[in-house]
Amino acid sequence: MHHFLARRLIPSKGQSGPSLGKKPPFQRKEWGLEKSVAMKKTQWMKAMALCSVLLVGAVLGLASDAYAQSVPPLETGPTHLYKIVNVNSGKVLDVSFNSKEATIRLVQWEYLGLASQKWYLWGSSTAGYQIINYNSGKALEPAARDNGAKIWQMYFNVDRPPQQLWRIAFDYNTATPPYRITNLLTYRDIDVEFNSTGNGAYIHQWQFVPGVQSQLWRFEPVN
């Protein structure tokens, strides 16, 4: 019995027995193919990741350059007053009823030389400007974050919260005045409701829409 088992375990001449711990040739070939595919996939993923990084860097670089070129040189401080004129209507930013109270909404009105129609800037083109009413000493900010939120005056905050910070930039299409006035919290622009040209039209914020003249403004120095 033992001799029979031994003979069964010993391969006959010209035959090779099973190789313990080794795969048959066709399995080794298949494993090599899988390994090759996996390596190529890994290399492809690395290449795609590198391309993504380069693309993001290029986009950010271009955006940074465009922003740097679009920031106008505006004077700051209460000795440098501006009227802020809407391109569409020719009327200026004003505070309703010449009020000095917080949460009073902004309107547009023909320029009459009133203190409530004069503004000065505090800050810088890189960090953002606070836009302060000469009559009330209060700063512009949106009442909410969504499209259509009213723009009102609120207590000037020395800590410079983002809702009181505005980017005043050239239109990217022209790189010259007039300017867009974009809030650094909501990323929406100061706009006139319904693109109105009339006295008393309310001021709100809206996402930038190229070609809409009611979202463009001129800063004109006044005494």
Side-chain angles (χ1 to χ4, degrees):
M1 181 69 179
H2 295 292
H3 294 295
F4 173 76
L5 290 174
R7 284 197 297 272
R8 291 293 301 270
L9 293 172
I10 298 173
S12 59
K13 187 174 180 181
Q15 294 180 335
S16 59
S19 223
L20 297 179
K22 296 182 180 180
K23 294 184 179 180
F26 75 92
Q27 289 183 327
R28 287 197 299 271
K29 184 177 180 181
E30 183 180 2
W31 178 82
L33 179 61
E34 291 176 353
K35 182 177 180 182
S36 176
V37 170
M39 290 177 65
K40 288 181 179 179
K41 184 177 180 181
T42 301
Q43 292 172 351
W44 179 81
M45 291 177 68
K46 287 180 178 179
M48 289 297 293
L50 178 59
C51 289
S52 298
V53 169
L54 293 174
L55 178 60
V56 170
V59 170
L60 290 177
L62 289 172
S64 177
D65 289 344
Y67 175 74
Q69 293 171 4
S70 69
V71 176
L74 291 172
E75 301 290 345
T76 61
T79 59
H80 299 282
L81 300 179
Y82 295 96
K83 59 179 177 180
I84 304 175
V85 185
N86 188 260
V87 169
N88 186 55
S89 66
K91 294 179 171 61
V92 301
L93 279 186
D94 196 356
V95 180
S96 295
F97 309 113
N98 308 319
S99 176
K100 296 183 179 181
E101 300 300 319
T103 72
I104 299 300
R105 191 168 188 176
L106 266 64
V107 296
Q108 68 174 7
W109 203 274
E110 64 184 281
Y111 185 66
L112 301 174
L114 302 175
S116 61
Q117 297 178 322
K118 298 177 182 180
W119 306 85
Y120 66 91
L121 305 176
W122 195 259
S124 69
S125 60
T126 53
Y129 293 105
Q130 287 168 288
I131 304 175
I132 303 165
N133 187 259
Y134 183 64
N135 185 54
S136 66
K138 293 179 172 60
L140 293 193
E141 64 176 58
R145 297 192 181 197
D146 53 340
N147 278 336
K150 61 186 176 183
I151 305 295
W152 60 17
Q153 64 178 6
M154 185 56 72
Y155 299 105
F156 173 75
N157 191 329
V158 295
D159 293 327
R160 295 171 54 78
Q163 69 269 21
Q164 285 192 2
L165 296 180
W166 302 86
R167 182 181 68 191
I168 302 172
F170 296 140
D171 182 351
Y172 293 147
N173 295 323
T174 62
T176 60
Y179 308 126
R180 294 172 53 191
I181 308 174
T182 309
N183 188 263
L184 293 187
L185 176 66
T186 66
Y187 295 102
R188 287 172 168 79
D189 286 20
I190 293 181
D191 190 8
V192 181
E193 274 193 357
F194 310 118
N195 313 113
S196 174
T197 59
N199 280 334
Y202 286 128
I203 305 300
H204 66 181
Q205 68 174 7
W206 202 270
Q207 67 192 58
F208 180 64
V209 181
V212 175
Q213 298 292 295
S214 61
Q215 292 183 322
L216 299 177
W217 304 85
R218 297 192 304 271
F219 282 74
E220 298 182 358
V222 294
N223 295 325

